[in-house]
Amino acid sequence: MKRGMFVIIFALIAIISLPAFAETVVDDVRIVNTSALDPFEYQKYLDDDDLRSLAGLSVSENPTLFPTIESFEVRQTKSELEFHGSIDPEKEALEFISMPYYNEVGKYDVAVVKPDGSIERYDKEVVIDYQERTIKTYDSLSVEEGDVVLLFAKEYVEIVFGKEERNTIGEGRTTTASRGQQPGRPGGNNNGNNNNGNNGRP
């Protein structure tokens, strides 16, 4: 009798617990360093196939493409996602950027690649401060199990006395080039006249 009661109680606990486990989302949030893509790739708009390809790559095998930013924090409540990040120029020579749509007007700050290959893009829910190099959610993003969340960054370029100081990732040095000689990158213009991380955001 006691054994039967124990089995029934255990079954009830399991049933009650199911909704809680169902609301737990295993998500994958990664920052894409667009400057680590080859010149042709990062000068064009990333289309849906590009985003799916980025979502399918291993983060651990591509640390330059998917850099770790120490102050980046992700919070998840049920099926909603919030994040906040601030890039320290002394530690990471990067800046957050917006991405232009492929063959469309406008831009987006975050892309979510779904398990079925469909893609959702977010703009108004996310805020990028280009001067402070921060990114945060204004409204929570809806995510489901298997979703891959992509945020975007590029190597930081600072205008100093008419020249661009380009911080080279992983090489511990800074290279200088005359204004106008740097290739265009997603989220910016192609004439080298970006101003302190403005990135051409409308």
Side-chain angles (χ1 to χ4, degrees), residues 21-165:
F21 283 107
E23 291 176 347
T24 301
V25 179
V26 180
D27 57 272
D28 186 352
V29 181
R30 57 183 69 178
I31 298 170
V32 179
N33 174 16
T34 59
S35 298
L37 300 171
D38 65 63
F40 174 77
E41 290 295 328
Y42 70 67
Q43 288 185 59
K44 71 170 186 172
Y45 297 173
L46 297 177
D47 60 23
D48 288 358
D49 288 338
D50 295 326
L51 294 174
R52 293 188 193 101
S53 177
L54 289 169
L57 294 176
S58 168
V59 174
S60 60
E61 294 177 4
N62 299 276
T64 303
L65 181 58
F66 302 114
T68 299
I69 294 177
E70 292 182 4
S71 60
F72 186 73
E73 180 182 359
V74 178
R75 300 188 188 96
Q76 182 176 302
T77 304
K78 294 183 179 180
S79 61
E80 293 186 334
L81 193 70
E82 298 178 353
F83 50 78
H84 181 274
S86 178
I87 297 179
D88 184 347
E90 298 297 325
K91 298 178 181 178
E92 298 104 2
L94 295 167
E95 59 183 330
F96 292 111
I97 61 171
S98 300
M99 296 295 293
Y101 279 92
Y102 179 69
N103 284 340
E104 295 182 31
V105 295
K107 51 82 183 175
Y108 60 95
D109 302 319
V110 174
V112 178
V113 182
K114 315 293 283 186
D116 64 0
S118 61
I119 298 171
E120 295 178 354
R121 294 171 172 83
Y122 294 91
D123 173 23
K124 295 180 181 179
E125 299 83 355
V126 183
V127 177
I128 297 178
D129 186 319
Y130 298 103
Q131 297 296 326
E132 298 296 327
R133 289 199 273 184
T134 62
I135 186 171
K136 65 180 180 180
T137 46
Y138 181 79
D139 292 324
S140 300
L141 308 185
S142 178
V143 294
E144 299 175 354
E145 185 172 354
D147 289 354
V148 178
V149 182
L150 302 175
L151 292 78
F152 306 94
K154 73 170 186 175
E155 292 180 10
Y156 182 62
V157 177
E158 183 179 5
I159 305 295
V160 180
F161 299 112
K163 294 186 177 182
E164 293 182 354
E165 295 289 338

Side-chain angles (χ1 to χ4, degrees), residues 93 95 133 155-168 173-179 182 185 192 194 196:
E95 59 183 330
R133 289 199 273 184
E155 292 180 10
Y156 182 62
V157 177
E158 183 179 5
I159 305 295
V160 180
F161 299 112
K163 294 186 177 182
E164 293 182 354
E165 295 289 338
R166 181 172 180 269
N167 295 318
T168 305
R173 60 186 173 84
T174 299
T175 58
T176 304
S178 297
R179 181 183 298 183
Q182 291 295 319
R185 294 181 175 81
N194 290 348
N196 295 327

